[in-house]
């Protein structure tokens, strides 16, 4: 299996391919038993949210990496893709502001990914 750090780089790159932005990596090791990392990004529209989600799923499945679970596809406001050690959150901008996940996990290490 791919190491977490490699997979994180891969996923953030796939998000950037589809113009996802405001990408943050939240390191939850030692803070949460749910997962080791959250990758959070924002999107401006349903088609963009769908494109980001489908692109991640399609590209990772080429490496035999499939999500354990994907939630939120019916409303496109907040997609959650569970890859066990890494959970990807694709938010519509307004929904992300509303839930403010970064504030909930403020005691975690949060890394911002610069857009290329």
């Amino acid at each position: 299996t791919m190491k977490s750090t490699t997979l994180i780089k891969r996923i953030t790159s796939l998000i950037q391919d589809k113009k996802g932005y405001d990408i943050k990596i939240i390191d939850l090791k030692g803070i949460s038993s749910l997962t080791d990392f959250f990758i959070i990004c924002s999107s401006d529209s349903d088609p963009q949210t769908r494109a980001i989600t489908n692109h991640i799923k399609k590209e990772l499945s080429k490496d035999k990496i499939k999500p354990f679970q994907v939630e939120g596809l019916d409303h496109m406001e907040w997609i959650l893709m569970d890859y066990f050690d890494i959970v990807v959150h694709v938010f519509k901008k307004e929904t992300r502001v509303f839930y403010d996940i970064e504030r909930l996990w403020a005691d975690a290490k949060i890394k911002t990914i610069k857009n290329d």
Side-chain angles (χ1 to χ4, degrees):
T1 63
M2 224 181 262
K3 278 192 16 233
S4 287
T5 50
T6 309
L7 189 52
I8 288 169
K9 284 191 181 115
R10 184 82 195 285
I11 292 170
T12 54
S13 167
L14 294 169
I15 290 168
Q16 289 172 327
D17 288 349
K18 298 297 175 188
K19 307 292 183 243
Y21 59 93
D22 195 10
I23 304 169
K24 296 209 186 320
I25 316 291
I26 302 181
D27 184 341
L28 298 168
K29 288 194 300 289
I31 295 174
S32 170
S33 57
L34 300 171
T35 188
D36 289 345
F37 296 96
F38 280 166
I39 299 177
I40 303 174
C41 75
S42 294
S43 155
D44 287 325
S45 66
D46 290 3
Q48 183 183 20
T49 300
R50 190 174 289 109
I52 292 167
T53 307
N54 289 344
H55 189 53
I56 293 169
K57 259 199 313 205
K58 189 177 116 210
E59 292 303 314
L60 292 184
S61 72
K62 291 177 183 175
D63 295 319
K64 307 268 184 288
I65 300 170
K66 300 212 181 311
F68 167 66
Q69 202 172 349
V70 177
E71 294 175 23
L73 293 171
D74 42 348
H75 297 297
M76 288 291 158
E77 293 292 319
W78 175 0
I79 310 296
L80 187 147
M81 307 174 78
D82 186 347
Y83 287 97
F84 297 104
D85 294 347
I86 298 168
V87 176
V88 182
H89 300 268
V90 183
F91 278 104
K92 271 289 223 356
K93 192 176 178 185
E94 306 74 41
T95 307
R96 180 168 176 180
V97 168
F98 180 80
Y99 285 103
D100 196 3
I101 279 196
E102 292 93 326
R103 192 179 49 77
L104 291 177
W105 297 99
D107 47 347
K109 281 191 287 252
I110 301 178
K111 179 179 174 197
T112 301
I113 303 298
K114 301 278 177 255
N115 284 347
D116 297 335

